Amino acid sequence: DEGAVRRDYSSFQNRRRSPYPQKDVSENNGNEILTNVNFDILCLILLHPKFGEDIAAQLDPDWIDPHTQHAPFLRKILVEIREGAWKPGENPDDLLDNEDEQNLYYQINMLEPQQDIGTKMSECLKALERNHLRRQEKSIAQRMTEISFEQRDELDALMKERKEIRRILQQLQQPAA
């Protein structure tokens, strides 16, 4: 729709002209601008190679939403590390299949290494797990609306599964002791 494109462009132009650019900053991130969790994980793996194998071992690839930015490249790196085909810190030439992946790789390698790696790694893994569980919860809620009351056993099983997901999500919200 041409009208929607014009409104989006106008909104974009107004943001560009603003003397006070808006930054998306989280209270938990201090002064860091929020980034995509997939990007943060890629940064941890590529900038801190000694943590790459730990991350690949802990990160369930199902937690990564395949529709998010950088997901295909992150999944590929995780698979390569898990299969022993590539070790973090080695030459990435075999990993980089296209120009977008090359640009992303070099963009990350231009960044400054993060200081508190353990905390960042833990936060990223929790965020990915939370996102995965929320997608599962939505899927279960959708399936529950499609089930008739005559299918009581299946409905009970879905309600039990949703309750367990909510319990895990609640635990993930608790600060680490």
Side-chain angles (χ1 to χ4, degrees), residues 102-155:
Q102 290 172 351
N103 290 338
L104 179 58
Y105 176 82
Y106 293 114
Q107 174 190 359
I108 289 171
N109 278 293
M110 297 285 291
L111 299 174
E112 293 289 321
Q114 295 148 340
Q115 298 300 319
D116 193 3
I117 302 146
T119 302
K120 187 69 168 182
M121 184 172 84
S122 176
E123 288 174 0
C124 288
L125 292 173
K126 279 185 176 182
L128 285 170
E129 185 176 11
R130 270 194 312 271
N131 293 343
H132 171 68
L133 290 169
R134 287 183 183 133
R135 286 191 308 275
Q136 277 188 322
E137 184 180 18
K138 283 182 184 177
S139 173
I140 289 170
Q142 178 64 36
R143 290 191 330 223
M144 287 172 68
T145 62
E146 297 167 355
I147 294 176
S148 68
F149 287 111
E150 289 80 41
Q151 297 170 308
R152 188 70 184 166
D153 291 341
E154 187 174 348
L155 192 58

Side-chain angles (χ1 to χ4, degrees), residues 7-175:
R7 284 190 301 277
D8 285 347
Y9 183 72
S10 175
S11 174
F12 168 75
Q13 291 289 40
N14 289 337
R15 283 194 309 264
R16 278 187 57 199
R17 288 187 207 123
S18 172
Y20 306 104
Q22 302 259 332
K23 291 185 179 179
D24 191 2
V25 178
S26 165
E27 60 208 36
N28 297 335
N29 261 3
N31 293 329
E32 279 184 58
I33 296 173
L34 287 178
T35 57
N36 180 302
V37 177
N38 295 343
F39 183 81
D40 287 344
I41 292 287
L42 283 168
C43 288
L44 287 169
I45 291 171
L46 297 174
L47 295 175
H48 306 281
K50 65 182 179 180
F51 291 97
E53 290 182 28
D54 289 341
I55 292 170
Q58 293 179 40
L59 180 54
D60 184 340
D62 288 338
W63 294 356
I64 301 167
D65 182 352
H67 306 293
T68 57
Q69 188 178 20
H70 311 305
F73 188 51
L74 176 57
R75 284 179 159 204
K76 179 169 51 170
I77 284 181
L78 291 172
V79 168
E80 295 290 326
I81 293 171
R82 284 177 172 219
E83 292 178 351
W86 183 74
K87 291 198 180 298
E90 289 183 350
N91 187 344
D93 290 342
D94 294 337
L95 284 177
L96 308 174
D97 291 336
N98 57 52
E99 191 174 316
D100 289 339
E101 290 177 356
Q102 290 172 351
N103 290 338
L104 179 58
Y105 176 82
Y106 293 114
Q107 174 190 359
I108 289 171
N109 278 293
M110 297 285 291
L111 299 174
E112 293 289 321
Q114 295 148 340
Q115 298 300 319
D116 193 3
I117 302 146
T119 302
K120 187 69 168 182
M121 184 172 84
S122 176
E123 288 174 0
C124 288
L125 292 173
K126 279 185 176 182
L128 285 170
E129 185 176 11
R130 270 194 312 271
N131 293 343
H132 171 68
L133 290 169
R134 287 183 183 133
R135 286 191 308 275
Q136 277 188 322
E137 184 180 18
K138 283 182 184 177
S139 173
I140 289 170
Q142 178 64 36
R143 290 191 330 223
M144 287 172 68
T145 62
E146 297 167 355
I147 294 176
S148 68
F149 287 111
E150 289 80 41
Q151 297 170 308
R152 188 70 184 166
D153 291 341
E154 187 174 348
L155 192 58
D156 287 343
L158 288 173
M159 288 177 15
K160 184 177 179 180
E161 187 177 349
R162 186 173 71 172
K163 183 177 179 181
E164 178 63 15
I165 288 172
R166 288 179 173 172
R167 185 189 64 74
I168 295 169
L169 281 169
Q170 189 70 26
Q171 285 177 343
L172 289 172
Q173 298 295 342
Q174 302 298 322

